Amino acid sequence: MVTYPVVETFHSLQGEGSWTGASAFFIRLGGCDVHCPWCDQKETWDARRSPQTAPEVLVEAALAARPRFVVITGGEPLLHDLGPLTAVLAQAGLRRHLETSGAYALSGRFDWITLSPKPYKPPHPSLYPQTSELKVVVAQPEDLLWAEDQSRQVPENRPRYLQPEWGTAEAPQWIADYILGRPHWRLSLQTHKYLGLR
Ligand code: SF4
């Protein structure tokens, strides 16, 4: 039987990107080897710390929440074969979103893919054409160059977001100045953190 290391599940508003403000059921999977220095989910890195959970249990919890969509996040969820999990979510009629750094090839079937690439372990090339939205976290000015490089690889008609790293006080101003001269970008804020939501 397939199981997944689950750090937590919770029902809240999507805080970031194109779906900000929508009702979302989050499934946070354990395991990440990208190791961003500013990561706010370091407790997810070691998948062995998270209890193995069957997809059916996750679907039951998601259905009870009655969200607009389910977000599979992490950690880096593509460390796992997401095929069985997305199959049972689809059977239950649940819309499936993925939040990934893209460090590994895609598995599973999704309605929306947020690619949040990290320079510490760049995306698998197959992720770029499948990206629904690009979201680059800015923790230092050099990240804007990285963002532009990533943007060139994503289809032109997909939204592109720059998001300030929560602990970097100067990042919002760097981003604002940058977007004023490059209107293909938009600002994304972690609104759930400003509002004190999960
Ligand atoms: S990819 Fe995400 S979970 Fe992994 S280290 Fe970076 S911010 Fe943390």
Side-chain angles (χ1 to χ4, degrees), residues 65-86:
R66 303 183 64 219
R68 184 149 178 199
F69 50 83
V70 174
V71 181
I72 300 178
T73 184
E76 175 40 66
L78 288 178
L79 275 173
H80 314 285
D81 176 6
L82 300 179
L85 176 54
T86 56

Side-chain angles (χ1 to χ4, degrees), residues 28 31-42 44-45 74-77 100-101 103 116 118 120 137:
R28 188 182 304 286
C32 185
D33 58 1
V34 180
H35 293 183
C36 306
W38 42 260
C39 177
D40 61 359
Q41 296 294 334
K42 287 186 171 130
T44 69
W45 288 5
E76 175 40 66
T100 179
S101 71
S116 186
K118 307 297 187 315
Y120 314 101
V137 176

Side-chain angles (χ1 to χ4, degrees), residues 37-135:
W38 42 260
C39 177
D40 61 359
Q41 296 294 334
K42 287 186 171 130
E43 70 279 5
T44 69
W45 288 5
D46 184 353
R48 293 169 301 183
R49 294 176 58 181
S50 304
Q52 292 288 330
T53 308
E56 291 73 15
V57 173
L58 298 169
V59 170
E60 200 177 315
L63 282 171
R66 303 183 64 219
R68 184 149 178 199
F69 50 83
V70 174
V71 181
I72 300 178
T73 184
E76 175 40 66
L78 288 178
L79 275 173
H80 314 285
D81 176 6
L82 300 179
L85 176 54
T86 56
V88 289
L89 289 168
Q91 272 169 17
L94 290 160
R95 184 180 163 91
R96 297 149 330 271
H97 290 201
L98 174 67
E99 170 90 22
T100 179
S101 71
Y104 294 90
L106 184 68
S107 58
R109 294 175 72 91
F110 288 92
D111 301 292
W112 185 268
I113 296 174
T114 301
L115 177 65
S116 186
K118 307 297 187 315
Y120 314 101
K121 195 171 175 72
H124 189 278
S126 63
L127 259 292
Y128 294 114
Q130 308 188 69
T131 296
S132 308
E133 67 177 1
L134 175 67
K135 186 178 68 186

